[in-house]
Amino acid sequence: MRAALVALAALALATAAAASPALAHTGGRNGYASLTVDGAGARYTLTLWPASVPAEVAETLRLARAGPGPGRDQLLGWIRDKVTLAAQERRCEPGPGSVADGASPPESLTLVVDYACGVEIRDLVIRDDLFDVLGTDYHTLTRLDAASTTSQFAFGTESREARVRLDARRRGTASFVWLGVEHILTGWDHLLFLLVLLLRGGGWLSLLRIVTAFTLAHSATLALAALDVVTLPDRLIESVIALSIAVVAGENLLFRSLVARRWVVSFCFGLVHGFGFSSVLREIGLPTRGLVLSLLGFNVGVELGQALVVALALPALALLRRTHWETRVVRIASLATLLVGAILFVERTLF
């Protein structure tokens, strides 16, 4: 009975991954904003596209792209209501705003609102409550540019507010740590790959090698891709990530003798997963000098999320290996994961 329950749990995880490909390694939906401060004023620019918002909001975006009308007024109204700025504790007043079709990403729409603060901006508080209308899994990745400061912030339901002094070089690294945690915990394909690696990983030393190899590999390519040193097509990366799940699951079923060298497989495919992790940071288009600390915070967040998953999985695996039905559970779980990986690979390659 217990074996059946464990197998069903593994199958449920695999089915959830197949049913939620859009959450594969996106960390939720993202909008990209820039805030340019000049004296007593600030210009807020937000780029959204249909895939980054709920279906009902996506329809509003399409109407707004068609030309002036209620759709544009509604979107600009959300920014004026949900994005608030305060300089030296004094609230800045938002202007009427404007809308422009975005060139990248495709079908995007760029919203612009100017804020008048009435005083020279030195101590700025930014609050983002767009999640109230764009969904709880939405994040705003924001770059702030001023004469002496460049900062980056990842706003989410748990981190709605940020403060920055414009006479100091302070950056919103902590918000990127949280974004990294969310990114790995909502990345079902990354989690499936990690868990299927551990499923037949051997003893504690072998498991440590697997996790360390994966960490070193994805950290390296995450940095290279986020800094635009090396970039690969997203379609290719997503397809290979799906393939990695299927390959390791198949190895669990057919080649038990190769498990001793599982850390090599972990390292090789970890390089590919790093490119997948980088997509959020690379798309925000941050300048290199500002990206380094954000990259560090994001990577720390990914590692914390990964450590949490491993900490939960290892005791369960240790208990499993003390039972007589370990082989059956490993086979059923690996077979289910192989099927998911194959489906994702075909979907990402052909569609």
Side-chain angles (χ1 to χ4, degrees):
M1 180 65 178
R2 292 180 180 177
L5 290 175
V6 175
L8 285 173
L11 185 59
L13 176 60
T15 303
S20 307
L23 297 179
H25 48 80
T26 61
R29 301 181 173 98
N30 298 315
Y32 297 93
S34 66
L35 183 63
T36 304
V37 176
D38 185 10
R43 169 162 289 187
Y44 181 86
T45 302
L46 175 65
T47 299
L48 299 171
W49 63 101
S52 70
V53 294
E56 60 274 15
V57 181
E59 183 60 28
T60 303
L61 280 180
R62 294 186 183 97
L63 291 174
R65 281 178 57 86
R72 294 193 173 194
D73 294 339
Q74 184 176 30
L75 293 171
L76 290 169
W78 284 342
I79 292 181
R80 289 193 294 268
D81 292 341
K82 301 299 182 181
V83 178
T84 56
L85 307 180
Q88 291 86 261
E89 309 300 333
R90 175 178 176 176
R91 181 164 178 165
C92 304
E93 293 299 324
S98 61
V99 178
D101 293 344
S104 178
E107 299 183 356
S108 66
L109 194 71
T110 299
L111 310 166
V112 181
V113 174
D114 290 320
Y115 288 78
C117 300
V119 295
E120 187 80 12
I121 301 174
R122 297 190 305 274
D123 188 356
L124 182 66
V125 175
I126 310 159
R127 182 174 178 86
D128 188 327
D129 292 309
L130 286 170
F131 327 99
D132 295 340
V133 290
L134 298 182
T136 56
D137 63 340
Y138 169 83
H139 304 86
T140 308
L141 305 184
T142 304
R143 181 181 75 240
L144 181 146
D145 291 312
S148 61
T149 303
T150 297
S151 301
Q152 298 85 42
F153 305 96
F155 291 104
T157 54
E158 302 298 326
S159 54
R160 293 176 178 245
E161 193 168 287
R163 179 186 293 269
V164 59
R165 291 190 60 83
L166 302 187
D167 58 352
R169 295 183 176 273
R170 299 179 61 183
R171 308 182 192 277
T173 306
S175 61
F176 278 81
V177 173
W178 180 250
L179 181 65
V181 172
E182 287 190 331
H183 191 77
I184 184 65
L185 293 183
T186 59
W188 288 104
D189 51 358
H190 295 299
L191 293 181
L192 267 183
F193 176 75
L194 183 60
L195 292 174
V196 80
L197 271 174
L198 299 177
L199 196 58
R200 192 171 258 177
W204 291 103
L205 182 58
S206 177
L207 293 172
L208 179 62
R209 288 175 179 169
I210 290 170
V211 174
T212 302
F214 185 68
T215 296
L216 292 176
H218 78 64
S219 296
T221 50
L222 168 60
L224 291 173
L227 294 171
D228 283 328
V229 177
V230 178
T231 57
L232 295 174
D234 289 341
R235 189 182 186 90
L236 173 64
I237 295 302
E238 291 181 0
S239 297
V240 176
I241 288 173
L243 181 63
S244 71
I245 297 171
V247 167
V248 176
E251 183 184 272
N252 282 351
L253 293 169
L254 302 175
F255 304 107
R256 187 182 184 110
S257 61
L258 297 179
V259 172
R261 296 190 294 276
R262 177 60 59 86
W263 69 270
V264 178
V265 176
S266 175
F267 183 85
C268 292
F269 281 125
L271 294 172
V272 179
H273 282 248
F275 285 106
F277 289 136
S278 73
S279 59
V280 170
L281 292 181
R282 184 162 43 82
E283 289 175 3
I284 196 174
L286 298 173
T288 301
R289 69 186 181 94
L291 183 56
V292 173
L293 287 179
S294 299
L295 172 62
L296 177 62
F298 183 80
N299 196 54
V300 168
V302 168
E303 298 311 321
L304 289 175
Q306 178 179 291
L308 175 62
V309 172
V310 172
L312 293 174
L314 289 186
L317 290 174
L319 289 175
L320 175 64
R321 289 181 180 127
R322 294 179 182 177
T323 66
H324 64 278
W325 30 267
E326 175 193 1
T327 300
R328 183 183 305 173
V329 172
V330 169
R331 285 188 172 278
I332 294 174
S334 296
L335 183 60
T337 307
L338 173 61
L339 178 61
V340 170
I343 293 172
L344 288 177
F345 177 72
V346 172
E347 181 183 70
R348 294 177 181 183
T349 302
L350 301 180
F351 300 100

